[in-house]
Amino acid sequence: MTKIEDYGKYETAWCPGCGNFSLLEAMKSGLVKAGLAPDRVIFVSGIGQAAKAPHYLNANVFNGLHGRALPAATGAKIANHEMSVIVESGEGCCYGEGGNHFLAAIRRNIDIAMIVHDNQIYGLTKGQASPTSQEGMKTKAQPGGVLSERFNPVAVAVAMHAGFVARSFTGMPDHLSDMINLAIRHRGFALVDVLQPCVSFNKVNNFAWYKKRCRELPPDHDPLDWEKAMKIAMEWDEKIPVGVIYKNDRASFCDRLSVLGKGPLAERGVDKKELASILDEYM
Amino acid sequence: MSVRAFNIAIGGEAGQGIVTIGELLSKLLVRSGYHIVVTQSYQSRIRDGHNTFYVRTCPDLIEAPQESIDLLIALDGETIPIHSGKIGAGGLILADEALACEDERCLRIPYKELSKEKFNSTAVLGVASSILGLDREKAAALIGERFGKKHPEDVKENLLALARAFDWAAGNNERSAKFPKVAAGGGGAVQFPKASAGGGARMMMNGNQAIALGAVSAGARFCAFYPMTPSTSVPLTLISIAEKAGLVVEQVEDEIAAVNMAVGASYAGAPSMVATSGGGFALMVEGVSLAGMTETPLVLVVAQRPGPATGLPTRTEQADLGFVLHAGHGEFPRAILTPGTVEECFHLTRRAFFLAEEFQTPVFVLTDQYLADSFRAVEPFDIGSLDFVRPGSGYAHGGGPTGGAAPPGGEAAAGATAGRSGPESGAYLRHALTENGISPRLIPGMSANLVVTDSDEHTEDGHLTEDLEVRILMVEKRLKKSEGLIKKSVPPEYAGDDAPEILLVSWGSSRGPVMEAARALRENGKTTAVLHFSQVWPMAPEAFIKYLDKAGRVVSVEGNATGQLAALIARETGFMIGDRISRYDGRPLTPEYILRKFDSLAGKGSSPGGKE
């Protein structure tokens, strides 16, 4: 049995009061709920304050380039589909720099849980707008206010029939670890957009702001109902729904790759007989 | 030139079946014991335009294209005026009788009588094969194989068209009676040299197919790509054998995804590759740096075409040596292999996988459109002797860690199950400092050890650090691997006279044309040699500087405008190559081109090379 202690405890580089702390604890607790030992997990992250998170627990970690966590994670999953692969990074990395990969991962339905730290601001580079920043929000880089409309990752994911789409908030640690557990267990692409305050740079969307708005979906919400989910995904301003908004049981990418039926690629050698028959075609 | 080669050109519009006819004729020649060098010249369009498929053939080994044409197979009227000036004495044109052709060398063929339009390609093949004296049964077997799999309903009609074409061209009619078979050689017709009966047991493949097959034989398990000419046939070949070979090939959203996906797959234990061309590779550059920093094995196939930007998408050039050499921010080791033949495409791609795995760094196979599309007759490989890479068996490669690293295996699960209290607690060190810079590599999930790596500067255990003392150690550790890479570099090939009057220096696909040009210069009475690089980086000057020093006139021969290898040699050795033959019109180097340019250089007088 995997215990929470197996995932260790480390010093971090985060500001006191950062939402990342509760997300880190919820992550560990989600992993334990999912029954995963550290050596069966590969964390892939990009660049940003959130992308440092996998360094602060015990697991296999590939901390790659900004925006490129998803492709690296997709490669890792294809190489060894028996491993649980988790992408953990910020919204700038996942939806901004890596936006194209976000769309492609949903289309592939690659079996990866993508846990996005979404604080609606860039922390690492000290307070510029992020793809999810509220329109009109003033920052040093957008002194006249953000001109672009807020990117709605949940709505995009639902619109594209992503395998599993959830939202949570770092102020609801049990809910958050449940969402992480469900995302890890989902056999397909699973998004958890995690709202979290940035105490240093986002003075608008602070803890109280989220606390006031985040509402758990009613127990009778049917996540299989796409049209309903689409409607919920568009709710934001006064009431922000959290929970499993949408899911489906479409076969995952690796489940549709017949070549993986013979076991993980990482464990296979070269079959000389097959090689001979391949080369024979060139005679 | 004394080479007994015979050059066939098939010209026409895109969509007329030029490649189908060309490949079938090439295969028939290979099965009949001939060597071939195919050059494909095509426009960046799917229909219309003018395309040419050249098959230069010879019973003996040839390794270069030829400009003059002995047999022109014209599928449209435009082909004849475009190429007729290049048809040598006694050459022949094969054209449909419906095409206007004033040229007396033209044999006009009533294709309509020979086959339905649908099977025209087979009729063209039949006439050409018959005229060349190739075996009718071999041709029929080939048609059966080609159409039997995909269009069994068409086999009968195709065979009928083939038989009619063979009969017609055999001279059983008034018109062709004037044209004796080329093979018979009589009546002033061009001699088509007979291949010896013993030949035929060779494969036919082009450079990109050989790269794909080399990769699979070396244990490649994953390839990510975004389609880009002329690299695309590498992943397409892999896809055609993916089920049998047990690998995954994924067409991805962009080249950035491709390289990151390949690095991720390699980290998780699948020997991985990407294949692309100039602009696509430009998008991959940050990922190359990532492979260097995370010390993840990665093979990158870069098939060059003329740039800058979109350039000439379907033509050839050798102008990305400098780009590939310097691509990626920061300093890390790499190797660049530059195959000169189709066999080398196979063997050097294999070598790339072994080097990438051993030195845990990006390794390039740098080819170009000419070689990518050039079919050749290839001796069968000795499959039994072909080893493959085993990721994560790094303990056998690196000579062992100098300390700190846990042994591989199940029980060393310090980080995993014992609940270590900090990253420094004696767990597996992915980036352990060692004498040769190579850290023992483990694969996540293959033992209880945790494998941690980072694109940030990191400590031995792979966790990010801003400790500037560690930074120095890690830079030195990564660069230390260069020493091993140099030791394992393929030395340049030296062929020809000792201390020659002329030394031609070349790399990559220009090997064949340069070798043949050197033979011609030698026959003209000048002592000549070739110094050819099938690996351009890392470079070990002590392996070749003596040849440069001893030669009279040193001439670099490259398919680019600035002499990129010559510049690299100057940088690494201080030796300035005095003369340069460049080609950057999108066509491959040919022996004729090199000799023409050499003549105009010679007219200008020698510019002796030497150390500055």
Side-chain angles (χ1 to χ4, degrees):
Chain A
M1 272 292 282
T2 304
K3 305 179 297 297
I4 205 133
E5 293 77 27
D6 295 339
Y7 281 95
K9 211 163 181 66
Y10 298 92
E11 258 184 50
T12 76
W14 296 325
C15 311
C18 179
N20 285 345
F21 290 103
S22 20
L23 213 167
L24 177 60
E25 290 313 310
M27 178 65 80
K28 292 181 200 168
S29 135
L31 287 161
V32 171
K33 283 181 191 170
L36 278 176
D39 60 303
R40 300 309 300 163
V41 186
I42 297 175
F43 271 92
V44 182
S45 67
I47 298 300
Q49 290 295 1
K52 292 177 184 171
H55 286 285
Y56 306 136
L57 48 71
N58 291 322
N60 297 290
V61 179
F62 185 92
N63 183 356
L65 297 173
H66 187 52
R68 316 305 167 197
L70 266 178
T74 302
K77 183 72 188 183
I78 292 171
N80 191 345
H81 62 281
E82 290 178 356
M83 297 291 280
S84 288
V85 179
I86 299 172
V87 163
E88 185 175 13
S89 224
E91 83 275 15
C93 191
C94 295
Y95 309 140
E97 189 94 6
N100 197 14
H101 312 309
F102 178 56
L103 303 182
I106 294 173
R107 291 178 53 217
R108 285 191 185 97
N109 199 29
I110 182 84
D111 186 5
I112 287 172
M114 183 177 180
I115 315 298
V116 183
H117 296 227
D118 186 354
N119 57 12
Q120 303 186 260
I121 197 83
Y122 280 2
L124 186 72
T125 51
K126 303 192 175 177
Q128 302 82 12
S130 88
T132 59
S133 288
Q134 210 72 43
E135 197 175 339
M137 177 196 243
K138 288 188 177 168
T139 78
K140 273 190 190 165
Q142 289 81 21
V146 173
L147 297 177
S148 299
E149 199 178 323
R150 185 183 68 88
F151 180 71
N152 183 339
V154 168
V156 169
V158 175
M160 291 181 69
H161 297 262
F164 177 99
V165 187
R167 186 191 281 127
S168 191
F169 165 46
T170 51
M172 306 163 76
D174 290 336
H175 182 267
L176 178 53
S177 73
D178 283 341
M179 292 302 113
I180 291 170
N181 170 33
L182 292 173
I184 291 170
R185 288 173 183 271
H186 179 78
R187 207 173 167 96
F189 183 77
L191 169 70
V192 185
D193 187 62
V194 184
L195 302 173
Q196 61 164 109
C198 171
V199 291
S200 297
F201 299 108
N202 191 335
K203 306 296 181 196
V204 179
N205 312 101
N206 56 23
F207 189 88
W209 192 93
Y210 289 120
K211 185 88 189 161
K212 193 177 145 195
R213 287 167 176 80
C214 288
R215 296 273 191 289
E216 278 195 60
L217 287 165
D220 64 347
H221 170 65
D222 177 9
L224 299 172
D225 183 339
W226 180 81
E227 281 177 22
K228 190 84 189 293
M230 205 58 234
K231 231 173 163 178
I232 290 168
M234 295 309 291
E235 291 174 17
W236 180 260
D237 296 312
E238 293 315 308
K239 204 184 99 196
I240 301 174
V242 298
V244 181
I245 294 166
Y246 175 71
K247 66 175 183 180
N248 62 43
D249 59 0
R250 184 177 160 227
S252 82
F253 185 76
C254 289
D255 285 338
R256 285 176 283 133
L257 282 175
S258 57
V259 82
L260 298 184
K262 289 180 187 164
L265 295 178
E267 289 176 3
R268 295 177 64 168
V270 170
D271 182 334
K272 293 282 176 85
K273 256 193 201 157
E274 291 288 13
L275 182 60
S277 108
I278 288 165
L279 288 170
D280 206 41
E281 295 280 313
Y282 290 83
M283 289 301 290
Chain B
M1 258 175 281
S2 66
V3 178
R4 291 191 301 148
F6 186 93
N7 200 24
I8 304 161
I10 306 162
E13 289 174 12
Q16 281 195 306
I18 293 162
V19 175
T20 304
I21 298 166
E23 284 192 30
L24 285 169
L25 184 58
S26 300
K27 188 108 183 173
L28 186 55
L29 285 162
V30 171
R31 286 191 179 175
S32 306
Y34 290 89
H35 281 279
I36 55 167
V37 173
V38 166
T39 310
Q40 299 194 48
S41 167
Y42 52 100
Q43 294 186 326
S44 183
R45 49 198 296 174
I46 307 301
R47 295 278 165 210
D48 305 330
H50 181 73
N51 293 352
T52 316
F53 188 107
Y54 297 91
V55 194
R56 188 188 189 210
T57 185
C58 182
D60 310 317
L61 179 64
I62 45 167
E63 294 183 298
Q66 175 184 322
E67 291 175 9
S68 66
I69 295 168
D70 299 303
L71 178 65
L72 176 66
I73 300 171
L75 299 186
D76 68 353
E78 204 193 345
T79 297
I80 299 164
I82 288 175
H83 296 283
S84 62
K86 282 183 252 149
I87 300 173
L92 201 59
I93 301 168
L94 305 183
D96 193 319
E97 63 178 4
L99 297 177
C101 183
E102 302 295 304
D103 200 310
E104 59 176 18
R105 296 169 295 184
C106 189
L107 174 54
R108 306 185 68 189
I109 302 154
Y111 283 120
K112 257 192 191 150
E113 294 168 24
L114 302 180
S115 77
K116 291 183 192 163
E117 200 184 342
K118 189 181 173 190
F119 309 112
N120 191 53
S121 294
T122 302
V124 174
L125 176 76
V127 171
S129 306
S130 178
I131 280 179
L132 294 170
L134 298 173
D135 184 70
R136 180 189 289 244
E137 295 309 314
K138 281 199 172 101
L142 191 59
I143 291 292
E145 286 167 36
R146 172 79 183 213
F147 297 101
K149 277 181 206 156
K150 282 185 186 163
H151 305 287
E153 70 282 3
D154 289 344
V155 172
K156 212 174 139 190
E157 292 262 28
N158 270 300
L159 287 175
L160 198 62
L162 184 79
R164 283 201 197 117
F166 254 89
D167 287 342
W168 184 87
N172 303 329
N173 64 84
E174 271 177 30
R175 272 167 296 193
S176 77
K178 294 191 288 182
F179 294 90
K181 276 190 200 178
V182 176
V190 168
Q191 291 280 340
F192 183 66
K194 272 275 179 222
S196 65
R202 297 193 186 101
M203 301 183 287
M204 183 181 90
M205 63 182 66
N206 63 29
N208 274 2
Q209 289 172 333
I211 285 172
L213 295 167
V216 160
S217 77
R221 287 282 157 265
F222 183 69
C223 173
F225 78 105
Y226 187 93
M228 185 162 182
T229 306
S231 65
T232 314
S233 53
V234 172
L236 290 183
T237 303
L238 289 171
I239 288 164
S240 74
I241 56 178
E243 284 290 327
K244 266 188 171 180
L247 87 162
V248 171
V249 187
E250 174 65 354
Q251 181 182 324
V252 297
E253 55 272 26
D254 56 33
E255 284 86 350
I256 299 174
V259 70
N260 282 278
M261 215 176 269
V263 171
S266 179
Y267 159 79
S272 297
M273 68 189 290
V274 295
T276 188
S277 294
F281 178 62
L283 291 177
M284 292 187 180
V285 167
E286 192 186 15
V288 174
S289 189
L290 174 69
M293 184 54 143
T294 59
E295 304 194 73
T296 307
L298 176 65
V299 173
L300 301 106
V301 176
V302 179
Q304 298 163 101
R305 68 189 216 188
T310 309
L312 292 167
T314 60
R315 310 291 172 165
T316 201
E317 199 159 86
Q318 293 187 293
D320 291 336
L321 190 162
F323 178 35
V324 164
L325 179 63
H326 298 290
H329 51 298
E331 296 168 300
F332 54 92
R334 76 188 68 202
I336 306 171
L337 305 170
T338 50
T341 65
V342 169
E343 276 92 348
E344 280 188 355
C345 286
F346 181 86
H347 291 293
L348 291 180
T349 302
R350 290 179 47 75
R351 192 175 184 87
F353 275 91
F354 282 92
L355 288 175
E357 183 62 36
E358 178 171 356
F359 294 97
Q360 304 173 20
T361 206
V363 177
F364 294 88
V365 178
L366 187 57
T367 180
D368 54 42
Q369 181 269 329
Y370 157 62
L371 187 56
D373 293 336
S374 186
F375 287 97
R376 310 280 172 95
V378 174
E379 301 294 337
F381 304 119
D382 177 10
I383 294 166
S385 71
L386 301 176
D387 197 9
F388 54 89
V389 293
R390 294 167 171 81
S393 57
Y395 281 84
H397 288 293
T402 53
E411 71 261 280
T417 52
R420 66 184 172 142
S421 59
E424 65 282 73
S425 65
Y428 164 65
L429 300 177
R430 170 65 193 90
H431 298 284
L433 297 169
T434 63
E435 261 174 45
N436 58 13
I438 300 171
S439 312
R441 183 163 105 94
L442 292 182
I443 303 302
M446 297 298 159
S447 73
N449 294 286
L450 300 179
V451 184
V452 179
T453 190
D454 195 346
S455 69
D456 290 271
E457 189 56 274
H458 39 257
T459 44
E460 286 182 276
D461 61 11
H463 288 289
L464 72 90
T465 185
E466 293 191 44
D467 181 328
L468 304 185
E469 297 307 313
V470 172
R471 161 70 182 174
I472 295 170
L473 294 173
M474 283 295 165
V475 169
E476 290 171 355
K477 167 222 189 314
R478 288 187 289 269
L479 293 179
K480 191 98 184 142
K481 296 189 287 185
S482 304
E483 292 169 19
L485 273 170
I486 289 177
K487 279 186 198 139
K488 295 225 165 157
S489 66
V490 182
E493 176 183 359
Y494 184 83
D497 300 309
D498 192 34
E501 291 165 76
I502 304 159
L503 177 65
L504 304 178
V505 180
S506 62
W507 62 279
S509 73
S510 39
R511 184 186 176 281
V514 171
M515 292 286 184
E516 196 170 313
R519 274 202 299 277
L521 288 170
R522 210 172 299 127
E523 281 160 17
N524 288 341
K526 293 216 191 314
T527 56
T528 309
V530 173
L531 182 65
H532 179 80
F533 289 76
S534 56
Q535 177 167 358
V536 293
W537 191 260
M539 199 174 254
E542 61 278 10
F544 62 86
I545 191 70
K546 58 180 181 229
Y547 301 120
L548 295 169
D549 286 335
K550 276 159 68 180
R553 182 174 200 166
V554 183
V555 184
S556 79
V557 184
E558 301 186 50
N560 59 56
T562 55
Q564 298 187 12
L565 178 70
L568 181 59
I569 289 172
R571 191 187 88 184
E572 293 300 305
T573 68
F575 188 97
M576 307 294 287
I577 293 180
D579 288 305
R580 199 161 75 211
I581 292 175
S582 308
R583 183 160 212 178
Y584 42 88
D585 62 0
R587 297 187 180 100
L589 283 157
T590 61
E592 293 105 311
Y593 180 91
I594 296 166
L595 294 172
R596 281 198 303 275
K597 291 285 167 180
F598 185 81
D599 282 347
S600 58
L601 276 183
K604 282 187 216 149
S606 168
S607 326
K611 296 221 178 191
E612 287 287 284

